[in-house]
PDB file of all heavy atoms in Angstrom:
ATOM      1  N   LEU L 209      -0.449  11.484 -65.374  1.00 91.00           N
ATOM      2  CA  LEU L 209      -0.274  11.393 -66.827  1.00 91.00           C
ATOM      3  C   LEU L 209      -1.574  10.916 -67.477  1.00 91.00           C
ATOM      4  O   LEU L 209      -2.017  11.458 -68.492  1.00 91.00           O
ATOM      5  CB  LEU L 209       0.880  10.443 -67.166  1.00 91.00           C
ATOM      6  CG  LEU L 209       1.248  10.290 -68.650  1.00 91.00           C
ATOM      7  CD1 LEU L 209       1.585  11.631 -69.281  1.00 91.00           C
ATOM      8  CD2 LEU L 209       2.410   9.328 -68.814  1.00 91.00           C
ATOM      9  N   ALA L 210      -2.221   9.935 -66.868  1.00 92.00           N
ATOM     10  CA  ALA L 210      -3.497   9.433 -67.396  1.00 92.00           C
ATOM     11  C   ALA L 210      -4.550  10.536 -67.412  1.00 92.00           C
ATOM     12  O   ALA L 210      -5.351  10.639 -68.348  1.00 92.00           O
ATOM     13  CB  ALA L 210      -3.973   8.245 -66.560  1.00 92.00           C
ATOM     14  N   GLN L 211      -4.551  11.375 -66.370  1.00 92.00           N
ATOM     15  CA  GLN L 211      -5.540  12.448 -66.268  1.00 92.00           C
ATOM     16  C   GLN L 211      -5.384  13.502 -67.369  1.00 92.00           C
ATOM     17  O   GLN L 211      -6.321  14.215 -67.686  1.00 92.00           O
ATOM     18  CB  GLN L 211      -5.452  13.128 -64.904  1.00 92.00           C
ATOM     19  CG  GLN L 211      -6.209  12.408 -63.807  1.00 92.00           C
ATOM     20  CD  GLN L 211      -7.710  12.314 -64.098  1.00 92.00           C
ATOM     21  OE1 GLN L 211      -8.260  11.229 -64.192  1.00 92.00           O
ATOM     22  NE2 GLN L 211      -8.377  13.460 -64.271  1.00 92.00           N
ATOM     23  N   ARG L 212      -4.196  13.592 -67.939  1.00 94.00           N
ATOM     24  CA  ARG L 212      -3.962  14.570 -69.014  1.00 94.00           C
ATOM     25  C   ARG L 212      -4.588  14.115 -70.338  1.00 94.00           C
ATOM     26  O   ARG L 212      -4.735  14.917 -71.251  1.00 94.00           O
ATOM     27  CB  ARG L 212      -2.463  14.816 -69.191  1.00 94.00           C
ATOM     28  CG  ARG L 212      -1.829  15.514 -67.997  1.00 94.00           C
ATOM     29  CD  ARG L 212      -0.379  15.843 -68.237  1.00 94.00           C
ATOM     30  NE  ARG L 212      -0.199  16.812 -69.306  1.00 94.00           N
ATOM     31  CZ  ARG L 212       0.955  17.431 -69.562  1.00 94.00           C
ATOM     32  NH1 ARG L 212       2.006  17.162 -68.824  1.00 94.00           N
ATOM     33  NH2 ARG L 212       1.063  18.293 -70.540  1.00 94.00           N
ATOM     34  N   CYS L 213      -4.911  12.839 -70.427  1.00 96.00           N
ATOM     35  CA  CYS L 213      -5.553  12.325 -71.634  1.00 96.00           C
ATOM     36  C   CYS L 213      -7.026  12.736 -71.673  1.00 96.00           C
ATOM     37  O   CYS L 213      -7.622  13.060 -70.649  1.00 96.00           O
ATOM     38  CB  CYS L 213      -5.456  10.801 -71.667  1.00 96.00           C
ATOM     39  SG  CYS L 213      -3.770  10.175 -71.817  1.00 96.00           S
ATOM     40  N   ASP L 214      -7.604  12.707 -72.875  1.00 96.00           N
ATOM     41  CA  ASP L 214      -9.023  13.044 -73.017  1.00 96.00           C
ATOM     42  C   ASP L 214      -9.908  12.065 -72.243  1.00 96.00           C
ATOM     43  O   ASP L 214     -10.961  12.436 -71.739  1.00 96.00           O
ATOM     44  CB  ASP L 214      -9.434  13.032 -74.495  1.00 96.00           C
ATOM     45  CG  ASP L 214      -8.697  14.096 -75.301  1.00 96.00           C
ATOM     46  OD1 ASP L 214      -8.515  15.201 -74.772  1.00 96.00           O
ATOM     47  OD2 ASP L 214      -8.300  13.809 -76.449  1.00 96.00           O
ATOM     48  N   ARG L 215      -9.463  10.822 -72.179  1.00 94.00           N
ATOM     49  CA  ARG L 215     -10.219   9.849 -71.387  1.00 94.00           C
ATOM     50  C   ARG L 215      -9.291   8.752 -70.890  1.00 94.00           C
ATOM     51  O   ARG L 215      -8.184   8.555 -71.400  1.00 94.00           O
ATOM     52  CB  ARG L 215     -11.370   9.247 -72.189  1.00 94.00           C
ATOM     53  CG  ARG L 215     -10.934   8.427 -73.364  1.00 94.00           C
ATOM     54  CD  ARG L 215     -12.121   7.774 -74.040  1.00 94.00           C
ATOM     55  NE  ARG L 215     -11.675   6.960 -75.161  1.00 94.00           N
ATOM     56  CZ  ARG L 215     -12.457   6.099 -75.788  1.00 94.00           C
ATOM     57  NH1 ARG L 215     -13.692   5.932 -75.399  1.00 94.00           N
ATOM     58  NH2 ARG L 215     -11.992   5.391 -76.798  1.00 94.00           N
ATOM     59  N   THR L 216      -9.756   8.047 -69.865  1.00 94.00           N
ATOM     60  CA  THR L 216      -8.994   6.973 -69.238  1.00 94.00           C
ATOM     61  C   THR L 216      -9.725   5.656 -69.420  1.00 94.00           C
ATOM     62  O   THR L 216     -10.944   5.586 -69.236  1.00 94.00           O
ATOM     63  CB  THR L 216      -8.803   7.265 -67.735  1.00 94.00           C
ATOM     64  OG1 THR L 216      -8.183   8.542 -67.589  1.00 94.00           O
ATOM     65  CG2 THR L 216      -7.925   6.209 -67.081  1.00 94.00           C
ATOM     66  N   VAL L 217      -8.970   4.628 -69.791  1.00 94.00           N
ATOM     67  CA  VAL L 217      -9.538   3.290 -69.993  1.00 94.00           C
ATOM     68  C   VAL L 217      -8.913   2.351 -68.944  1.00 94.00           C
ATOM     69  O   VAL L 217      -7.746   1.980 -69.070  1.00 94.00           O
ATOM     70  CB  VAL L 217      -9.242   2.766 -71.419  1.00 94.00           C
ATOM     71  CG1 VAL L 217      -9.714   1.323 -71.570  1.00 94.00           C
ATOM     72  CG2 VAL L 217      -9.893   3.659 -72.472  1.00 94.00           C
ATOM     73  N   PRO L 218      -9.678   1.960 -67.916  1.00 93.00           N
ATOM     74  CA  PRO L 218      -9.140   1.046 -66.910  1.00 93.00           C
ATOM     75  C   PRO L 218      -9.238  -0.412 -67.364  1.00 93.00           C
ATOM     76  O   PRO L 218     -10.279  -0.836 -67.856  1.00 93.00           O
ATOM     77  CB  PRO L 218     -10.030   1.297 -65.679  1.00 93.00           C
ATOM     78  CG  PRO L 218     -11.236   2.030 -66.174  1.00 93.00           C
ATOM     79  CD  PRO L 218     -11.037   2.413 -67.609  1.00 93.00           C
ATOM     80  N   VAL L 219      -8.141  -1.140 -67.219  1.00 94.00           N
ATOM     81  CA  VAL L 219      -8.114  -2.562 -67.580  1.00 94.00           C
ATOM     82  C   VAL L 219      -7.831  -3.378 -66.313  1.00 94.00           C
ATOM     83  O   VAL L 219      -6.928  -3.054 -65.549  1.00 94.00           O
ATOM     84  CB  VAL L 219      -7.024  -2.847 -68.635  1.00 94.00           C
ATOM     85  CG1 VAL L 219      -6.969  -4.329 -68.966  1.00 94.00           C
ATOM     86  CG2 VAL L 219      -7.260  -2.030 -69.896  1.00 94.00           C
ATOM     87  N   ARG L 220      -8.621  -4.422 -66.127  1.00 92.00           N
ATOM     88  CA  ARG L 220      -8.404  -5.306 -64.970  1.00 92.00           C
ATOM     89  C   ARG L 220      -8.670  -6.746 -65.404  1.00 92.00           C
ATOM     90  O   ARG L 220      -9.733  -7.038 -65.969  1.00 92.00           O
ATOM     91  CB  ARG L 220      -9.333  -4.918 -63.814  1.00 92.00           C
ATOM     92  CG  ARG L 220      -9.091  -5.698 -62.525  1.00 92.00           C
ATOM     93  CD  ARG L 220      -9.973  -5.176 -61.410  1.00 92.00           C
ATOM     94  NE  ARG L 220      -9.591  -3.840 -61.014  1.00 92.00           N
ATOM     95  CZ  ARG L 220      -8.636  -3.538 -60.128  1.00 92.00           C
ATOM     96  NH1 ARG L 220      -7.948  -4.520 -59.551  1.00 92.00           N
ATOM     97  NH2 ARG L 220      -8.363  -2.300 -59.813  1.00 92.00           N
ATOM     98  N   SER L 221      -7.686  -7.613 -65.190  1.00 91.00           N
ATOM     99  CA  SER L 221      -7.817  -9.039 -65.551  1.00 91.00           C
ATOM    100  C   SER L 221      -8.251  -9.239 -66.995  1.00 91.00           C
ATOM    101  O   SER L 221      -9.098 -10.075 -67.291  1.00 91.00           O
ATOM    102  CB  SER L 221      -8.805  -9.736 -64.602  1.00 91.00           C
ATOM    103  OG  SER L 221      -8.362  -9.637 -63.285  1.00 91.00           O
ATOM    104  N   GLY L 222      -7.680  -8.415 -67.909  1.00 92.00           N
ATOM    105  CA  GLY L 222      -7.936  -8.591 -69.334  1.00 92.00           C
ATOM    106  C   GLY L 222      -9.246  -8.071 -69.827  1.00 92.00           C
ATOM    107  O   GLY L 222      -9.657  -8.330 -70.962  1.00 92.00           O
ATOM    108  N   VAL L 223      -9.959  -7.328 -68.981  1.00 92.00           N
ATOM    109  CA  VAL L 223     -11.260  -6.777 -69.340  1.00 92.00           C
ATOM    110  C   VAL L 223     -11.254  -5.265 -69.133  1.00 92.00           C
ATOM    111  O   VAL L 223     -10.690  -4.773 -68.160  1.00 92.00           O
ATOM    112  CB  VAL L 223     -12.376  -7.406 -68.469  1.00 92.00           C
ATOM    113  CG1 VAL L 223     -13.729  -6.781 -68.776  1.00 92.00           C
ATOM    114  CG2 VAL L 223     -12.417  -8.913 -68.667  1.00 92.00           C
ATOM    115  N   ILE L 224     -11.870  -4.526 -70.077  1.00 91.00           N
ATOM    116  CA  ILE L 224     -11.978  -3.073 -69.918  1.00 91.00           C
ATOM    117  C   ILE L 224     -13.158  -2.769 -69.009  1.00 91.00           C
ATOM    118  O   ILE L 224     -14.291  -3.218 -69.253  1.00 91.00           O
ATOM    119  CB  ILE L 224     -12.149  -2.372 -71.283  1.00 91.00           C
ATOM    120  CG1 ILE L 224     -10.825  -2.467 -72.075  1.00 91.00           C
ATOM    121  CG2 ILE L 224     -12.583  -0.930 -71.106  1.00 91.00           C
ATOM    122  CD1 ILE L 224     -10.889  -1.825 -73.438  1.00 91.00           C
ATOM    123  N   GLU L 225     -12.884  -1.994 -67.954  1.00 86.00           N
ATOM    124  CA  GLU L 225     -13.948  -1.565 -67.055  1.00 86.00           C
ATOM    125  C   GLU L 225     -14.524  -0.253 -67.583  1.00 86.00           C
ATOM    126  O   GLU L 225     -14.136   0.204 -68.657  1.00 86.00           O
ATOM    127  CB  GLU L 225     -13.400  -1.423 -65.637  1.00 86.00           C
ATOM    128  CG  GLU L 225     -12.837  -2.745 -65.113  1.00 86.00           C
ATOM    129  CD  GLU L 225     -12.277  -2.653 -63.704  1.00 86.00           C
ATOM    130  OE1 GLU L 225     -11.605  -1.658 -63.393  1.00 86.00           O
ATOM    131  OE2 GLU L 225     -12.535  -3.596 -62.915  1.00 86.00           O
ATOM    132  N   ALA L 226     -15.418   0.361 -66.877  1.00 75.00           N
ATOM    133  CA  ALA L 226     -16.091   1.590 -67.348  1.00 75.00           C
ATOM    134  C   ALA L 226     -15.078   2.686 -67.667  1.00 75.00           C
ATOM    135  O   ALA L 226     -14.254   3.048 -66.836  1.00 75.00           O
ATOM    136  CB  ALA L 226     -17.072   2.071 -66.293  1.00 75.00           C
TER     137      ALA L 226
END
Side-chain angles (χ1 to χ4, degrees):
L209 183 57
Q211 277 299 120
R212 293 185 65 169
C213 295
D214 296 321
R215 65 175 181 168
T216 304
V217 175
V219 178
R220 185 176 292 275
S221 300
V223 177
I224 290 179
E225 300 180 318

